[in-house]
Amino acid sequence: MASKDLFMVFTLFLVIFTVSCVSELTTKSSLKTTDIKLPTSIRPISYVLRLQPLINGNFTIFGYVEILMEAVEETSNITLHIKDIVTKNETVELYLGDKPNGQPIPIVEHSYDADRDFYTATLAEPLTAGRQYLLLMEYEGYLNDQLVGFYRSQYKRDDGSEVLLAATQFAAIDARRAFPCFDEPELKATFEIHVARQTNMTSISNMPLVETTPIAGSDDWVWDQFARSLPMSTYLVAIVISDFTFVNSTFNDHVLFRVWTREEAIDQTWYAIGAGPAILTWYEEYFSIPFPLPKQDMVALPDFYFGAMENWGIVTYRETALLADPELNSAADRERVATVVAHELAHQWFGDLVTMEWWSDVWLNEGFASYVEYLGTDSYEPDWKYLDMMVTYDVQYALVLDSLESSHPVSVPVETTEDIYQVYDAIAYSKGASIIRMMNSFLTEPTFRSGLTSYLNANQYGNAAQDDLWEALTQQAHADGTLATNLTVKIIMDTWTLQMGYPVINVSRTEDGAVVLSQERFLRVKSPNSTDTHDYKWWVPVSYTTQSSPDFSQTQPTYWIPSTEESITINGLPNDQWIFFNLQETGFYRVNYDQNNWELLISQLGSDANVINLVSRAQLVDDALNLARSRQLVYDVALRLCSYLRLEDEFVPWDSALVNLEYLEEMFTRRSGYGQLKRYLLDLLVPLYNSVGFVDDVNDPQLEQKKRVLAVDWACHLEYEDCVTRSVELYNQWMSSPTDQTLISANLRSTVYCTAIAQGGEAEWNFAWAQYLATNVASEQNRLLYALSCTREVWILWRYLEMAFTENSGIRRQDAVQAFNNVASSDIGRDIAWEYLQNNIALITDYLQGSSSIGDMVASVSNEFNTELELRQLIQFKNDNIDALATATYAIDQSIENTSNNIAWMDNYYDYIVNWLTLNGYPPFVSLIS
Ligand SMILES: *[C@@H]1O[C@H](CO)[C@@H](O)[C@H](O)[C@H]1NC(C)=O
Ligand SMILES: *[C@@H]1O[C@H](CO)[C@@H](O)[C@H](O)[C@H]1NC(C)=O
Ligand SMILES: *[C@@H]1O[C@H](CO)[C@@H](O)[C@H](O)[C@H]1NC(C)=O
Ligand SMILES: *[C@@H]1O[C@H](CO)[C@@H](O)[C@H](O)[C@H]1NC(C)=O
Ligand SMILES: *[C@@H]1O[C@H](CO)[C@@H](O)[C@H](O)[C@H]1NC(C)=O
Ligand SMILES: *[C@@H]1O[C@H](CO)[C@@H](O)[C@H](O)[C@H]1NC(C)=O
Ligand SMILES: [Zn+2]
């Protein structure tokens, strides 16, 4: 899924639209069962599904299913998944063979196990191993409004009329809400789907439409029949019934490509209909496997919980992930569409054609798609230099998350339903992607690609686990000679997937030119009472370059530090010049140097930074600031290193720097030293701000636009006068001529709106709210949703939170958590959001149908917590709500650890940094007399 699909983290500062690929709606059951797997005695072969949802009626779904299955071994019962379905016991029939012929086999009992969503038919006599049986069943389902299973969605047409549609979201385990099935990824089968609909709508599904037939006696109803699918998992089945229109493309000569949306938004499909077919075609070549289905649909749904979902042949998206206004699209809008489309289309092979055996390998699906999305995006938009972005968007992001003691391995055992929801997290997406990137770099691109193709070919229409991928890559690597024959990919990668965390490599040099590299787990804070006795060591690929012949392109390792060794020694390197390890941050680890080498690197950055590759400049800034934050490097070194930023002109190093400096800014927000820090940060930033300018130009290259957005957003956030004045001016002009859409460029809208609303009052807020309700463009709505949280009027923030969790307030259910997180991330809103959350936990979990988003919400609220009082409140909150927080426990533990770390950071560094600022030209008081 996409939060990139699931989990897209847009790291543009202050423009953080968390693509909720990571959180998922769940039901409230917190019951755990030790074994949630179905008995293995039966496996499905094929389904026939007939569904008639009463979209414009009482939302009943009349359902009928026929499942052809094989008894793998003798058994006296048939168990499958059912949830929120009313079965009709008397309609259940079982026959020997693949046709409902002859006498049915008697069923003596129907039973249900609600904890495990099991339905069991008990038989009078056992089924024979190796024979096929046909199970028929009629049932009734319900078209819910919870965005899971088969659900309904609604939108308003330009003429004001409300229109309903129906769509599915079956991942991870909600197909069982729409039809009785063997709802496990490994139980693949083929599907023949029939959908009844009214004639003023159309239906689409995974496969092409075969025929449409009238329903006798119901004038305006017809049955659509779709072609039988290839073998696939239940969670990838999808249906959309709507009045949408589409645009098509025949760019690919054997796949019909369509993009569907509301008629009023059809002109917003321009980007996706260009990118989608091109990227799909590029993947066919990249994987060396043609797309196996005759068509690919992509659908923008008005209500959608995740970012997007990779259903085979019919990818569903929230509107912001697929649509972009033809005139008013920002760099971020285009980037979001390109990357989510690239992510979902990568899943068509990795996930759909070959599927993980069990949810414990979700990381492989998601990490892989999160990696390949960069390649797919780069293929379509080479000017974006998108491969470089991965270092800040995923690698450095994951390095932060995975430095907590409460992290977890990417590969985790999944034993309960709650576990299934929790595995779709940032570790799976971002660390998964990062270690796949590392693997690509140590195996080399040609070996990686060929190994991947043989893995996909060997397992197509089936399932695989991580060991199968390791095996395919090892064979290829040995054949190509890119890996020593006594080493395997499994030996190396197990150290990265089965244990959590990652190392810092400490580099020290001796007088005679020997360099000692030693590995040690990198922790943000080493807890003195940790009970973890695991001996953390990794297989670490080591690449390096030197000052005398700098070359940052050879990322293949020259050495390995084995997981059996603490350290290795490299001889013969000069010690009066800098050396640099882990080129372009391809290895998932940090590097710490001795003082002398840091000084040499700092002077290189100061004299000619471009000698060091731009990704590696981002790496130096990120490593230095994180090492300082975790007490492994003095802050003085890290802050002096950052001073070269006054001359830095590239987006990637700036993005890394600001992500890190933001931490200092957050910790200082409510402290007396804030003014000093603000002046220091502006000093670094203003040269960039001046070079890109406040005035946007849509003809600038993408990277120039992104740089401008970053600089302007920060400048306004730090209340740089030029930025604030211009923003307020522009917004006022817009308020006087609301229909003039050209006044404010799409790139700067988030910043301009937020700044003006923060400076303004009720009138500015109300104007934005009116625009929010009026706009037809989802990404514009998203920008306004964010800007509305920027007000400093406490009562308006409170009202805004109440609206977020109220039906029909104008804020869709899918956006409630985002609205909350926006408020929680603002300086003024944070306390209000925290109070609201503590007082309304029952209301919120009820409104969201579960607790899994609470983790996100707590993380937003507590992000800047750095006092003992706040820590106590957080722990109290967890203890008071243990039951309500069922699926959010990982996330809340992380917030607690984060808060403790912030407290320790304040104790250790606040005074030190204030002092450093004072000594380096930023005293507490600026003299008013000059
Ligand atoms: C829903 O409407 C259908 C058709 O009118 C009717 O047959 C069915 O009994 C209704 N179901 C419920 C639960 O009201
Ligand atoms: C159904 O049969 C399987 C194997 O034959 C057995 O393990 C399981 O306990 C049975 N379940 C029920 C509910 O009888
Ligand atoms: C089906 O059978 C089960 C178990 O005997 C029973 O609990 C349930 O009420 C029955 N359902 C209907 C609709 O008859
Ligand atoms: C289709 O027709 C039904 C009744 O005839 C109506 O209720 C519904 O709103 C229409 N749907 C659309 C999408 O126009
Ligand atoms: C695609 O759209 C064009 C017009 O936009 C139409 O002429 C063509 O028939 C369509 N192709 C398919 C296969 O639907
Ligand atoms: C693999 O072989 C090399 C030399 O051929 C040796 O140095 C190394 O220790 C061996 N590694 C392992 C894991 O056995
Ligand atoms: Zn995904």
Side-chain angles (χ1 to χ4, degrees):
M1 291 180 273
S3 186
K4 260 301 194 62
D5 52 315
L6 266 202
F7 206 91
M8 299 209 73
V9 182
F10 281 89
T11 29
L12 290 187
F13 173 64
L14 287 187
V15 196
I16 303 167
F17 305 130
T18 313
V19 184
S20 298
C21 235
V22 170
S23 36
E24 174 157 343
L25 289 182
T26 63
T27 53
K28 263 189 267 176
S29 153
S30 59
L31 279 160
K32 303 211 169 188
T33 33
T34 47
D35 188 3
I36 55 170
K37 284 204 183 191
L38 291 169
T40 52
S41 42
I42 295 194
R43 58 174 302 130
I45 298 167
S46 65
Y47 293 76
V48 174
L49 252 183
R50 301 176 71 88
L51 296 169
Q52 180 175 23
L54 305 182
I55 302 174
N56 297 302
N58 60 12
F59 306 129
T60 293
I61 303 165
F62 294 119
Y64 169 79
V65 63
E66 258 178 48
I67 311 176
L68 179 66
M69 53 208 186
E70 183 190 331
V72 177
E73 56 193 38
E74 190 177 290
T75 178
S76 299
N77 68 57
I78 297 170
T79 299
L80 41 77
H81 286 111
I82 279 185
K83 185 172 188 176
D84 296 348
I85 278 177
V86 181
T87 57
K88 301 177 179 167
N89 293 343
E90 70 287 358
T91 69
V92 183
E93 291 178 6
L94 180 67
Y95 296 92
L96 175 62
D98 59 2
K99 303 240 156 39
N101 291 338
Q103 275 300 313
I105 300 168
I107 297 169
V108 295
E109 199 196 345
H110 305 271
S111 53
Y112 298 88
D113 175 348
D115 295 342
R116 297 193 280 178
D117 305 334
F118 282 0
Y119 158 81
T120 301
T122 309
L123 313 172
E125 53 198 68
L127 304 179
T128 312
R131 308 288 304 255
Q132 291 188 2
Y133 296 88
L134 189 69
L135 182 80
L136 325 180
M137 184 186 291
E138 281 178 33
Y139 63 93
E140 270 181 27
Y142 182 70
L143 210 52
N144 68 71
D145 62 354
Q146 314 297 329
L147 316 184
V148 291
F150 206 172
Y151 70 93
R152 59 186 198 261
S153 165
Q154 196 165 3
Y155 74 91
K156 198 180 274 180
R157 286 202 181 129
D158 280 354
D159 65 11
S161 57
E162 292 278 349
V163 185
L164 284 159
L165 59 130
T168 56
Q169 169 59 39
F170 288 167
I173 51 170
D174 287 312
R176 63 190 65 171
R177 290 177 192 251
F179 61 100
C181 57
F182 296 86
D183 200 8
E184 290 177 0
E186 200 180 2
L187 297 174
K188 287 193 172 184
T190 65
F191 292 83
E192 181 187 306
I193 294 174
H194 302 246
V195 175
R197 61 167 169 93
Q198 282 170 293
T199 48
N200 59 358
M201 303 193 179
T202 53
S203 73
I204 44 178
S205 182
N206 305 85
M207 297 299 287
L209 184 66
V210 180
E211 85 175 327
T212 297
T213 48
I215 303 184
S218 317
D219 274 355
D220 62 340
W221 282 86
V222 290
W223 277 108
D224 283 339
Q225 179 188 341
F226 296 93
R228 177 164 289 284
S229 77
L230 299 166
M232 60 188 278
S233 304
T234 45
Y235 81 94
L236 293 168
V237 171
I239 297 165
V240 175
I241 308 172
S242 70
D243 69 333
F244 287 176
T245 55
F246 67 86
V247 293
N248 69 28
S249 162
T250 50
F251 176 89
N252 184 301
D253 61 8
H254 62 108
V255 183
L256 171 65
F257 209 107
R258 296 181 296 190
V259 179
W260 298 76
T261 187
R262 304 176 275 121
E263 192 169 358
E264 279 105 351
I266 198 71
D267 62 337
Q268 298 174 37
T269 56
W270 67 278
Y271 192 85
I273 196 61
I279 293 173
L280 186 89
T281 307
W282 188 83
Y283 283 155
E284 292 189 307
E285 193 167 318
Y286 183 76
F287 294 121
S288 303
I289 299 176
F291 183 62
L293 308 182
K295 65 91 178 171
Q296 176 71 58
D297 287 310
M298 306 205 292
V299 192
L301 294 167
D303 297 284
F304 196 73
Y305 198 76
F306 297 102
M309 175 62 212
E310 69 267 19
N311 315 297
W312 215 9
I314 171 173
V315 182
T316 45
Y317 297 82
R318 42 168 78 193
E319 289 194 351
T320 47
L322 192 64
L323 303 180
D325 190 273
E327 308 292 330
L328 294 165
N329 54 84
S330 67
D333 294 345
R334 296 187 296 274
E335 186 171 314
R336 170 104 196 255
V337 177
T339 55
V340 180
V341 165
H343 180 106
E344 302 308 328
L345 293 179
H347 274 311
Q348 303 297 306
W349 284 263
F350 218 98
D352 297 2
L353 180 64
V354 178
T355 310
M356 72 253 153
E357 269 171 24
W358 184 243
W359 306 109
S360 46
D361 275 321
V362 155
W363 83 267
L364 200 56
N365 264 13
E366 295 306 344
F368 195 84
S370 300
Y371 170 71
V372 175
E373 77 185 51
Y374 288 91
L375 310 184
T377 302
D378 181 61
S379 76
Y380 187 63
E381 298 281 10
D383 295 345
W384 292 6
K385 304 272 193 300
Y386 208 64
L387 299 179
D388 295 344
M389 303 298 156
M390 189 173 172
V391 166
T392 63
Y393 291 178
D394 279 303
V395 180
Q396 293 176 356
Y397 177 66
L399 286 170
V400 167
L401 291 176
D402 205 23
S403 66
L404 298 182
E405 280 187 331
S406 59
S407 188
H408 61 86
V410 286
S411 179
V412 283
V414 171
E415 281 153 7
T416 69
T417 311
E418 284 75 16
D419 289 345
I420 296 175
Y421 291 107
Q422 301 208 54
V423 287
Y424 285 91
D425 73 354
I427 291 286
Y429 282 79
S430 293
K431 182 178 181 181
S434 304
I435 61 179
I436 289 167
R437 173 175 179 263
M438 171 169 71
M439 196 162 66
N440 170 290
S441 123
F442 72 69
L443 291 173
T444 72
E445 172 71 13
T447 297
F448 178 79
R449 253 181 81 173
S450 314
L452 207 56
T453 300
S454 42
Y455 163 83
L456 289 170
N457 276 322
N459 298 292
Q460 58 184 340
Y461 309 115
N463 299 73
Q466 64 180 30
D467 282 351
D468 299 306
L469 180 59
W470 305 158
E471 182 56 36
L473 290 168
T474 300
Q475 279 184 14
Q476 191 67 45
H478 287 165
D480 295 351
T482 46
L483 195 65
T485 49
N486 60 357
L487 254 184
T488 64
V489 173
K490 181 174 167 59
I491 289 176
I492 297 164
M493 291 306 288
D494 276 355
T495 67
W496 296 94
T497 63
L498 303 182
Q499 60 186 352
M500 64 177 147
Y502 61 88
V504 52
I505 303 303
N506 294 306
V507 178
S508 61
R509 277 189 277 184
T510 58
E511 292 290 313
D512 54 5
V515 181
V516 179
L517 306 179
S518 59
Q519 60 165 313
E520 178 191 6
R521 181 178 177 195
F522 180 82
L523 282 171
R524 166 140 296 162
V525 172
K526 286 189 197 92
S527 150
N529 36 22
S530 164
T531 52
D532 188 349
T533 55
H534 181 80
D535 180 22
Y536 289 91
K537 284 209 206 71
W538 291 263
W539 273 88
V540 184
V542 178
S543 57
Y544 73 94
T545 192
T546 59
Q547 185 171 1
S548 53
S549 48
D551 176 0
F552 285 78
S553 64
Q554 298 302 311
T555 57
Q556 226 194 324
T558 320
Y559 300 98
W560 284 92
I561 309 176
S563 68
T564 46
E565 307 289 331
E566 206 116 298
S567 65
I568 61 168
T569 303
I570 304 173
N571 293 307
L573 289 171
N575 72 352
D576 55 347
Q577 303 182 353
W578 56 257
I579 37 175
F580 184 102
F581 285 94
N582 195 17
L583 302 178
Q584 299 192 47
E585 209 163 4
T586 47
F588 188 70
Y589 59 89
R590 299 194 186 282
V591 183
N592 198 359
Y593 300 102
D594 54 28
Q595 174 85 19
N596 182 38
N597 201 58
W598 278 117
E599 297 299 341
L600 290 166
L601 287 166
I602 289 172
S603 40
Q604 180 68 63
L605 288 172
S607 59
D608 183 2
N610 288 325
V611 168
I612 297 173
N613 166 286
L614 79 104
V615 168
S616 285
R617 297 203 294 279
Q619 175 186 1
L620 279 175
V621 169
D622 186 68
D623 275 354
L625 284 167
N626 278 286
L627 288 162
R629 189 172 160 184
S630 61
R631 314 193 73 168
Q632 301 181 42
L633 181 67
V634 281
Y635 253 109
D636 174 58
V637 173
L639 293 173
R640 278 193 292 114
L641 188 142
C642 286
S643 61
Y644 100 95
L645 287 166
R646 290 184 185 88
L647 301 170
E648 179 59 81
D649 191 36
E650 292 281 353
F651 176 83
V652 174
W654 262 114
D655 194 46
S656 289
L658 291 174
V659 165
N660 283 292
L661 293 170
E662 186 180 1
Y663 182 70
L664 271 60
E665 204 258 350
E666 287 167 356
M667 289 302 100
F668 271 59
T669 302
R670 299 175 177 219
R671 293 295 181 282
S672 53
Y674 185 71
Q676 290 171 264
L677 182 71
K678 196 164 97 169
R679 274 181 281 126
Y680 165 71
L681 292 176
L682 277 173
D683 239 21
L684 295 182
L685 188 75
V686 166
L688 183 72
Y689 178 85
N690 288 336
S691 85
V692 290
F694 182 91
V695 180
D696 194 40
D697 181 349
V698 293
N699 296 317
D700 280 341
Q702 175 90 354
L703 273 164
E704 188 71 9
Q705 294 184 37
K706 286 177 65 148
K707 238 168 30 181
R708 181 175 299 120
V709 171
L710 194 65
V712 169
D713 204 13
W714 265 89
C716 270
H717 180 68
L718 295 171
E719 297 184 299
Y720 187 57
E721 199 185 329
D722 184 66
C723 190
V724 173
T725 317
R726 284 164 177 266
S727 296
V728 170
E729 215 166 276
L730 274 180
Y731 192 83
N732 287 341
Q733 283 175 26
W734 187 38
M735 280 176 74
S736 355
S737 42
T739 51
D740 188 350
Q741 291 298 315
T742 59
L743 275 172
I744 314 171
S745 97
N747 279 327
L748 300 186
R749 285 184 174 203
S750 276
T751 307
V752 168
Y753 297 173
C754 178
T755 307
I757 287 172
Q759 300 290 323
E762 197 180 354
E764 283 76 8
W765 197 94
N766 287 347
F767 178 78
W769 176 247
Q771 300 301 318
Y772 178 83
L773 294 177
T775 183
N776 178 39
V777 179
S779 51
E780 174 72 359
Q781 204 166 41
N782 227 342
R783 289 190 276 264
L784 288 158
L785 189 79
Y786 159 67
L788 290 166
S789 71
C790 298
T791 180
R792 292 176 182 169
E793 295 285 348
V794 173
W795 68 274
I796 298 181
L797 285 169
W798 194 266
R799 181 180 68 180
Y800 184 48
L801 284 178
E802 284 173 357
M803 288 161 66
F805 295 93
T806 304
E807 205 99 40
N808 301 321
S809 67
I811 300 171
R812 286 179 188 272
R813 194 188 296 267
Q814 65 171 11
D815 296 323
V817 173
Q818 191 57 55
F820 177 93
N821 289 348
N822 291 342
V823 174
S825 314
S826 84
D827 294 344
I828 308 283
R830 189 244 271 184
D831 296 330
I832 296 166
W834 182 218
E835 192 179 338
Y836 184 83
L837 177 62
Q838 294 176 89
N839 285 333
N840 294 286
I841 183 95
L843 180 151
I844 293 169
T845 47
D846 191 53
Y847 190 69
L848 301 175
Q849 286 293 299
S851 63
S852 53
S853 305
I854 307 281
D856 272 3
M857 294 165 64
V858 173
S860 303
V861 160
S862 65
N863 187 42
E864 296 180 8
F865 280 7
N866 58 12
T867 65
E868 292 291 344
L869 175 65
E870 288 160 337
L871 178 63
R872 281 200 302 276
Q873 287 175 352
L874 200 53
I875 293 170
Q876 186 71 36
F877 175 77
K878 182 187 168 191
N879 294 342
D880 288 350
N881 298 288
I882 281 288
D883 290 337
L885 298 176
T887 56
T889 47
Y890 276 171
I892 294 189
D893 288 343
Q894 281 172 7
S895 292
I896 290 174
E897 188 180 344
N898 188 49
T899 302
S900 308
N901 292 350
N902 289 348
I903 294 170
W905 188 90
M906 289 300 287
D907 289 348
N908 290 324
Y909 299 119
Y910 175 75
D911 289 341
Y912 176 93
I913 292 175
V914 169
N915 191 36
W916 188 91
L917 290 167
T918 305
L919 293 175
N920 284 274
Y922 308 94
F925 292 96
V926 190
S927 168
L928 297 177
I929 308 150
S930 57

